[in-house]
Amino acid sequence: MDIKIRIEKACKTFGDGSITALQEVCLDIGSNEFVTFVGASGCGKSTLLRCIAGLETLSSGSIKVDGTPISGPGVDRAMVFQHYSLYPWLTVMDNIKFTRQLQINLEDITSADVEAASGRADALIDLMGLNHVKNAYPNQLSGGMQQRVAIARALLPRPQILLMDEPFGALDAQTREVMHDMILHVSKLEKTTIVFVTHDVEEAIYLGQRVVVMAPRPGRIDSICPVNLPAQRNQDMKLSAEFMQQKKAILTRIRETAGVHTDLELLARMTKPADNN
């Protein structure tokens, strides 16, 4: 495997060190690989993602991209959040071009660079199916459309790594399915390494080549589950016995790492009315 991201004994504490968000996390992520992270709340998924983005600094250990330690945000990495964070006063096209336009204003950029950025924005609008709304404003768009704009904006500078923190968490079930197929299509065309955090195990399996299960208190990698699905995926795969079996296994493991009891007899005893005699 051609390693794109190498995480070595990554630790992250907060406050006076009493809160350990990440404890000795080790993982290699390959070039063009789509890796998904799941786990109970508080297991450090989003913290790890922010450390890869350079938005948080590790307490110890290292994260390297192409062998170079991360020291802060960089143009080689882009991040998409659950909340779209679009500029309400800009159109779809101008939102997508904004970051690049800011660079153009601050740097000595030629007219050819400006034209190339506009051409790239046009291509991404086509890819995301946004042509019919490219002159619309964010408040005129559905949630799914707004997230497409946010993804297109992240992809504009051709990042090598796309970091996604529960990007579809606020969308309805039907829109999520459309977005799943769209992001898989984008990952193939753009040949981008994608690290994707989600609470939805079904989403993690459908999108990922590997599912990383994290455990809480302290946040650490519990297990890594290869996804044995064809590269060309469709929604019907979610109904297969293999898919359901893997979903059940991962859900069970998440409950176990979070200390959630699944024993029905125990639950029955806990909910049994008290004996007043």
Side-chain angles (χ1 to χ4, degrees), residues 51-78:
C51 289
I52 298 172
L55 301 175
E56 296 276 1
T57 303
L58 290 175
S59 303
S60 63
S62 67
I63 301 177
K64 298 176 182 177
V65 173
D66 292 329
T68 302
I70 291 173
S71 58
V75 294
D76 58 338
R77 286 154 284 139

Side-chain angles (χ1 to χ4, degrees), residues 89 147 235-236:
W89 60 89
Q147 194 60 297
Q235 296 293 332
D236 289 342

Side-chain angles (χ1 to χ4, degrees), residues 204-270:
I205 297 169
Y206 186 72
L207 294 177
Q209 293 167 273
R210 289 187 293 163
V211 178
V212 179
V213 179
M214 294 192 69
R217 300 183 299 275
R220 62 200 185 279
I221 292 178
D222 173 79
S223 50
I224 300 173
C225 309
V227 177
N228 298 316
L229 292 176
Q232 191 65 37
R233 300 184 182 179
N234 60 72
Q235 296 293 332
D236 289 342
M237 290 177 179
K238 296 177 182 178
L239 303 176
S240 69
E242 292 81 5
F243 191 100
M244 297 300 292
Q245 184 177 14
Q246 186 158 37
K247 178 181 176 180
K248 181 179 179 181
I250 293 174
L251 280 170
T252 299
R253 190 61 199 146
I254 291 172
R255 293 189 187 109
E256 289 171 350
T257 61
V260 177
H261 293 289
T262 57
D263 186 275
L264 295 180
E265 185 178 343
L266 174 60
L267 291 174
R269 288 201 303 270
M270 291 171 61

Side-chain angles (χ1 to χ4, degrees), residues 67-273:
T68 302
I70 291 173
S71 58
V75 294
D76 58 338
R77 286 154 284 139
M79 193 155 178
V80 177
F81 301 91
Q82 180 175 347
H83 302 291
Y84 323 122
S85 303
L86 301 180
Y87 300 104
W89 60 89
L90 296 179
T91 65
V92 166
M93 173 63 86
D94 289 338
N95 260 289
I96 293 172
K97 292 166 59 177
F98 178 80
T99 303
R100 185 59 180 147
Q101 190 64 50
L102 184 62
Q103 289 177 316
I104 289 169
N105 291 339
L106 294 175
E107 301 170 7
D108 184 17
I109 302 295
T110 67
S111 59
D113 293 321
V114 175
E115 187 175 341
S118 295
R120 172 70 170 162
D122 283 332
L124 288 168
I125 279 182
D126 281 338
L127 179 61
M128 297 292 173
L130 294 169
N131 256 314
H132 62 299
V133 295
K134 67 181 181 181
N135 295 316
Y137 290 89
N139 66 357
Q140 298 172 312
L141 305 179
S142 67
M145 285 291 182
Q146 290 188 59
Q147 194 60 297
R148 289 184 190 214
V149 177
I151 294 170
R153 183 176 61 187
L155 290 171
L156 184 69
R158 300 183 188 274
Q160 300 169 34
I161 298 167
L162 185 61
L163 306 166
M164 309 188 80
D165 192 3
E166 298 187 59
F168 309 140
L171 305 179
D172 63 84
Q174 274 190 314
T175 304
R176 283 167 74 100
E177 288 190 350
V178 172
M179 296 298 286
H180 291 165
D181 292 334
M182 182 275 296
I183 199 64
L184 285 172
H185 181 60
V186 166
S187 70
K188 290 181 176 64
L189 287 181
E190 293 287 310
K191 300 188 185 305
T192 306
T193 301
I194 298 181
V195 185
F196 190 105
V197 164
T198 179
H199 280 290
D200 187 329
V201 172
E202 187 172 287
E203 179 174 71
I205 297 169
Y206 186 72
L207 294 177
Q209 293 167 273
R210 289 187 293 163
V211 178
V212 179
V213 179
M214 294 192 69
R217 300 183 299 275
R220 62 200 185 279
I221 292 178
D222 173 79
S223 50
I224 300 173
C225 309
V227 177
N228 298 316
L229 292 176
Q232 191 65 37
R233 300 184 182 179
N234 60 72
Q235 296 293 332
D236 289 342
M237 290 177 179
K238 296 177 182 178
L239 303 176
S240 69
E242 292 81 5
F243 191 100
M244 297 300 292
Q245 184 177 14
Q246 186 158 37
K247 178 181 176 180
K248 181 179 179 181
I250 293 174
L251 280 170
T252 299
R253 190 61 199 146
I254 291 172
R255 293 189 187 109
E256 289 171 350
T257 61
V260 177
H261 293 289
T262 57
D263 186 275
L264 295 180
E265 185 178 343
L266 174 60
L267 291 174
R269 288 201 303 270
M270 291 171 61
T271 57
K272 182 180 178 180

Side-chain angles (χ1 to χ4, degrees), residues 7 9-14 18-26 37-48 58 212-223 257:
I7 304 168
K9 296 186 176 180
C11 298
K12 176 66 177 177
T13 59
F14 290 101
S18 59
I19 300 173
T20 303
L22 297 172
Q23 185 177 65
E24 296 205 344
V25 174
C26 298
F37 283 74
V38 295
S41 294
C43 68
K45 303 184 299 296
S46 293
T47 299
L48 180 59
L58 290 175
V212 179
V213 179
M214 294 192 69
R217 300 183 299 275
R220 62 200 185 279
I221 292 178
D222 173 79
S223 50
T257 61

